[in-house]
Amino acid sequence: MAFAGGRSAKDLIERFRHARQDRGRVVLEGFHAVKHALRFHAEIEHACASDRTALEALTGRLAPDVQSALTRLVRFVPRLVFAELAPVPPDTSVIAIARRPSVDLSAVFDGPGAAPIVLLEAPAHLGNLGAAVRVAAAAGAAAVVTTGPRDPWHPAALRGAAGLHFALPVAAIEGVPALRHRPLLAIHPDGECLRPDMLPDGAVLAFGSERRGLSDGVLAAADRQIALPMRPGVSSLNLASAVAAVLYAWRLAGRGWHLPQPPD
Ligand SMILES: C[S@@+](CC[C@H](N)C(=O)[O-])C[C@H]1O[C@@H](n2cnc3c(N)ncnc32)[C@H](O)[C@@H]1O
């Protein structure tokens, strides 16, 4: 069966399968991921949907600003073909392949600016990782970097972030780099109780993994350990909730951290 552009169903299925293994590409599953990717200028190579009426209704209601871009990009494919494009096809019946942007890590760490960098040490759950990227984008953080084996651009992380990876630099790093200009703050349940004046400009905020928390190495290297107060009996917050609480403590303190301008 051939589609617009002469592409056969088999070819399309193979392209999506291949994109999942390709470090230069990412798969965007679902309407919100595709919408944000478009808003933040992702380079989308292929986009497919199976239900024209549903997609037009969703776009009209939630994202009229990307309607013309989506209309240009999307190829409509039969439901049975769409079902083969993802292990769990998204309910919103739209999926895309985009190029993964390259991140200049020295520009991230040595760059100016008051916004903090979020460092996730070996996050285990891709949904948490994505939720952390989402709140970092919303709050105006400078970047999200991760250590450990999880790919921060995995389709499940992109789904958790609703595609907001394209709004700020997101990258995997080998380990915590030597920081020349930025203070390193370990966000840790046993630290000092957070007050907004404890969050200096340009800090790297390090959050630990879901089970083990922060490593001894990061705790030892940190300039300060900071805790979010909790009532007795509660062991810890969920990772992404902790990221949200600290980033918004910073925002609400109004310390000269300006949100990036909206995309054109
Ligand atoms: C689910 S918690 C890890 C819990 C782990 N058992 C521990 O003791 O650190 C994941 C990460 O969220 C952050 N976090 C969660 N609750 C926190 C709190 N009350 N204060 C500071 N950080 C917290 C920390 O960075 C932590 O490493």
Side-chain angles (χ1 to χ4, degrees):
M1 192 188 305
F3 303 114
R7 193 156 293 133
S8 73
K10 210 166 142 239
D11 185 20
L12 200 61
I13 293 165
E14 202 40 52
R15 240 170 232 272
F16 274 83
R17 191 168 297 146
H18 190 258
R20 289 175 194 279
Q21 323 299 329
D22 180 349
R23 302 293 283 193
R25 294 188 165 73
V26 295
V27 177
L28 300 161
E29 296 176 346
F31 178 77
H32 296 288
V34 175
K35 167 193 80 179
H36 279 133
L38 280 171
R39 271 195 195 142
F40 290 96
H41 308 301
E43 213 182 305
I44 293 188
E45 295 181 330
H46 303 284
C48 295
S50 61
D51 186 335
R52 186 186 294 271
T53 312
L55 183 63
E56 284 175 0
L58 262 181
T59 314
R61 190 158 52 85
L62 300 176
D65 55 311
V66 300
Q67 185 125 39
S68 65
L70 254 186
T71 308
R72 263 198 321 277
L73 280 167
V74 166
R75 302 275 171 268
F76 288 93
V77 300
R79 218 173 276 277
L80 283 176
V81 175
F82 188 84
E84 297 291 321
L85 302 182
V88 180
D91 292 342
T92 47
S93 302
V94 59
I95 192 165
I97 298 173
R99 292 201 74 85
R100 185 191 297 225
S102 60
V103 172
D104 178 350
L105 284 170
S106 46
V108 166
F109 282 102
D110 296 337
I117 293 171
V118 173
L119 188 159
L120 306 178
E121 196 183 23
H125 298 293
L126 291 162
N128 265 341
L129 198 166
V133 170
R134 185 173 186 166
V135 73
V144 177
V145 292
T146 66
T147 65
R150 299 278 185 250
D151 177 9
W153 287 83
H154 187 283
L158 276 154
R159 235 181 10 247
L164 281 161
H165 286 59
F166 293 94
L168 77 175
V170 175
I173 57 174
E174 288 299 320
V176 182
L179 298 169
R180 275 180 293 171
H181 313 298
R182 294 180 179 270
L184 175 64
L185 304 185
I187 310 302
H188 182 57
D190 296 338
E192 307 165 66
C193 257
L194 173 67
R195 291 189 321 270
D197 65 352
M198 287 175 169
L199 301 172
D201 283 353
V204 174
L205 306 172
F207 297 84
S209 73
E210 292 85 343
R211 275 250 173 93
R212 277 186 254 148
L214 282 168
S215 65
D216 291 343
V218 171
L219 289 173
D223 296 290
R224 202 160 189 177
Q225 297 182 14
I226 294 176
L228 291 156
M230 297 179 290
R231 67 182 284 184
V234 178
S235 316
S236 67
L237 275 74
N238 156 277
L239 169 59
S241 306
V243 174
V246 176
L247 288 180
Y248 275 92
W250 183 301
R251 277 293 312 274
L252 296 174
R255 293 162 43 83
W257 173 9
H258 300 296
L259 283 175
Q261 292 306 300
D264 299 332

